[in-house]
């Protein structure tokens, strides 16, 4: 989030504060209800409530982890400052109401960043749908946020070893790659759904998915625009590039799907829009409209190829394509940020060669993939060997709504 480094005013700006307050609410809306509905429409009817509970559960447990220790470890100095921060702000202590981060209250930065941690965990949950124990999910969410999300966030935005080098305007690396690879690893540890590749896994209600897409799309203005940490031209450009990438991403996917199947589906349009949004996230305040549209097209095509052609070769049941959309989209967007970054919008890039910036982007991607893969595996296998990850066969057949939550959607 480059605005953290660029914002150097020492006077509270009420306009900037009002905008970031609004953006914070928009990003939380992306998770509950946006992502909850987006994912819920793609599962079977017997698992709609349990899938939505992953978004609600993530919002609850990640918020607690963040205010207790996550923010401090991500954004304060410590003995291991290149890797992770310290404990100066545990429970948000030692942050006065009048203390500023640029032109906005520091506490506002903390709550804005909280919403990013929340949605990262909720995105990851898409890989785990229809078979994970809710109790195990909640334990995993707390551990993964503290041990995976927080360190990577510190590397990129909190003064760690990638801060100022690997460009990530609003979370392509921190949120999307992180969540995508985490979901893939845990899906591997869980194993495939029992009907995967055999029975009917058709979505129950794609109307919910389209409603969720709309809420996510609107909320993404807060996600990207809010990352300017001010009501300024940088935020405006982030909104423009976000809209352009999402629109061209949706059109690209629909065209690719029509070429492959002879039909352009509602789910395809929703997936293409999300792919475009994911791809532009690391670049939103760094690229112009041409760059945004190029990123939207290329990210959408890359995610389309992943989901339609390469997914089967992974032999992992990434149930709702968290890795296919967010992991792959984040990787493509992060790398292309180095290609399309505009010196007019980010003057600091003028003295950096294209090859050097590309390497810095790739370095950030590789570090996130490797660290996320290893740490997610360690957390997941520990939970699997202790309290267990997966529901039993009878509960999976019955549906997690009734088996876990004792509720179901009426026939």
């Amino acid at each position: 989030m480059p605005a953290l480094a660029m914002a150097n005013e020492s006077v509270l700006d009420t306009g900037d504060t009002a905008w970031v307050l609004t953006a914070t609410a928009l990003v939380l809306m992306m998770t509950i209800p946006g992502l909850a509905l987006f994912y819920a429409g793609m599962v079977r009817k017997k698992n709609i409530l349990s899938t939505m509970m992953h978004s609600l559960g993530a919002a609850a447990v990640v918020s607690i982890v963040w205010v207790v220790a996550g923010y401090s470890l991500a954004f304060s100095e410590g003995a291991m400052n290149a890797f992770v921060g310290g404990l100066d702000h545990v429970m948000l202590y030692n942050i006065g109401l009048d203390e500023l981060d640029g032109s906005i209250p520091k506490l506002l930065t903390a709550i804005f960043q909280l919403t990013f941690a929340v949605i990262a965990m909720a995105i990851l949950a898409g890989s785990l749908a229809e078979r994970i124990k809710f109790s195990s999910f909640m334990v995993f969410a707390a551990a993964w946020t503290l041990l995976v999300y927080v360190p990577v966030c510190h590397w990129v935005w909190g003064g760690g070893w990638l801060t100022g080098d690997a460009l990530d305007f609003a979370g392509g690396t921190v949120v999307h790659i992180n969540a995508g690879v985490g979901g893939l690893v845990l899906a591997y540890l869980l194993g495939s759904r029992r009907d995967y590749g055999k029975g009917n896994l058709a979505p129950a209600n794609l109307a919910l998915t389209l409603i969720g897409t709309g809420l996510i799309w609107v909320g993404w203005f807060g996600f990207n625009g809010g990352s300017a940490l001010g009501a300024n031209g940088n935020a405006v450009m982030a909104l423009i590039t976000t809209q352009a990438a999402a629109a061209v991403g949706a059109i690209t996917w629909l065209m690719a799907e029509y070429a492959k199947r002879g039909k352009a589906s509602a789910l395809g349009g929703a997936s293409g829009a999300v792919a475009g949004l994911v791809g532009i996230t690391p670049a939103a305040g760094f690229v112009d409209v041409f760059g945004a549209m190029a990123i939207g097209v290329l990210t959408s095509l890359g995610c389309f190829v992943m989901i339609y052609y390469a997914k089967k070769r992974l032999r992992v049941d990434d149930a709702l394509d968290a890795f296919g959309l967010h992991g792959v989209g984040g990787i493509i967007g992060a790398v292309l940020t180095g290609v399309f970054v505009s010196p007019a919008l980010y003057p600091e890039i003028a003295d950096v060669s294209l090859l050097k910036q590309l390497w810095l982007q790739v370095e950030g991607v590789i570090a996130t993939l490797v660290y996320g893969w290893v740490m997610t595996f360690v957390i997941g296998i520990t939970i699997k060997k202790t309290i267990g990850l997966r529901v039993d066969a009878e509960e999976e057949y019955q549906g997690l709504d009734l088996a876990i939550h004792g509720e179901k959607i009426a026939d």
Side-chain angles (χ1 to χ4, degrees):
M1 192 170 296
L4 289 174
M6 292 188 295
N8 52 21
E9 299 180 28
S10 58
V11 179
L12 177 72
D13 187 298
T14 55
D16 291 347
T17 301
W19 165 235
V20 180
L21 283 166
T22 303
T24 300
L26 287 170
V27 180
L28 187 60
M29 184 188 75
M30 289 171 67
T31 302
I32 45 173
L35 194 63
L37 288 167
F38 180 79
Y39 278 163
M42 291 191 281
V43 298
R44 289 167 290 181
K45 185 177 180 181
K46 62 183 180 180
N47 294 314
I48 287 178
L49 295 177
S50 63
T51 300
M52 297 184 80
M53 280 296 293
H54 289 157
S55 292
L56 181 63
V61 72
V62 174
S63 295
I64 294 170
V65 170
W66 188 256
V67 298
V68 170
Y71 172 75
S72 183
L73 290 169
F75 287 99
S76 65
E77 295 183 0
M80 299 175 62
N81 197 50
F83 179 74
V84 71
L87 299 175
D88 292 347
H89 300 310
V90 167
M91 300 293 289
L92 302 184
Y93 286 158
N94 302 317
I95 305 177
L97 293 178
D98 297 327
E99 189 171 346
L100 298 182
D101 185 0
S103 60
I104 66 174
K106 193 169 185 177
L107 283 171
L108 179 53
T109 301
I111 188 68
F112 181 61
Q113 283 291 329
L114 178 152
T115 62
F116 281 59
V118 165
I119 198 167
M121 187 63 240
I123 289 168
L124 187 157
S127 295
L128 322 173
E130 301 195 298
R131 63 216 195 265
I132 192 169
K133 294 164 63 175
F134 185 68
S135 57
S136 299
F137 170 77
M138 295 292 275
V139 172
F140 174 83
W144 186 86
T145 299
L146 196 61
L147 299 176
V148 181
Y149 181 86
V150 165
V152 175
C153 180
H154 179 76
W155 298 352
V156 178
W157 291 335
W161 66 282
L162 289 171
T163 301
D165 292 330
L167 300 179
D168 189 355
F169 190 81
T173 303
V174 178
V175 175
H176 296 290
I177 297 176
N178 222 359
V181 71
L184 188 68
V185 172
L186 200 61
Y188 168 77
L189 290 173
L190 272 169
S192 300
R193 289 166 289 179
R194 300 190 187 280
D195 293 334
Y196 184 65
K198 303 173 185 176
N200 182 13
L201 298 176
N205 190 343
L206 287 178
L208 297 179
T209 297
L210 287 181
I211 294 170
T213 303
L215 291 168
I216 290 170
W217 192 329
V218 172
W220 222 290
F221 282 2
F223 198 74
N224 288 353
S227 294
L229 296 186
N232 50 41
N234 203 224
V236 174
M237 180 54 71
L239 264 63
I240 293 170
T241 56
T242 297
Q243 184 69 12
V248 76
I251 296 297
T252 299
W253 195 295
L254 290 170
M255 292 174 64
E257 198 172 46
Y258 187 82
K260 174 178 171 57
R261 302 173 55 236
K263 296 182 184 297
S265 70
L267 180 58
S271 299
V274 171
L277 290 166
V278 171
I280 196 59
T281 292
F286 298 132
V287 302
D288 57 20
V289 172
F290 173 79
M293 296 183 74
I295 289 172
V297 169
L298 294 172
T299 305
S300 185
L301 285 174
C303 293
F304 179 87
V305 170
M306 176 65 204
I307 290 171
Y308 272 91
Y309 297 100
K311 179 179 177 179
K312 292 180 181 179
R313 298 192 177 187
L314 291 176
R315 298 184 179 180
V316 178
D317 184 10
D318 177 15
L320 306 180
D321 294 314
F323 179 76
L325 281 177
H326 296 273
V328 173
I331 292 169
I332 295 172
V335 174
L336 292 180
T337 298
V339 176
F340 292 106
V341 58
S342 167
L345 296 171
Y346 188 62
E348 290 86 344
I349 202 67
D351 297 327
V352 182
S353 69
L354 173 61
L355 287 178
K356 181 179 179 181
Q357 191 57 52
L358 274 176
W359 165 244
L360 291 172
Q361 298 302 111
V362 171
E363 183 182 31
V365 168
I366 293 173
T368 302
L369 287 171
V370 172
Y371 180 77
W373 187 282
V374 172
M375 288 304 298
T376 302
F377 184 86
V378 171
I379 296 167
I381 200 69
T382 300
I383 295 173
K384 185 175 182 177
K385 297 295 185 180
T386 52
I387 62 174
L389 279 173
R390 185 169 179 153
V391 298
D392 62 36
E394 183 177 346
E395 290 174 323
E396 187 173 343
Y397 176 79
Q398 183 182 37
L400 274 60
D401 291 2
L402 197 58
I404 292 178
H405 302 291
E407 301 162 306
K408 69 174 185 176
I409 295 176
D411 296 328

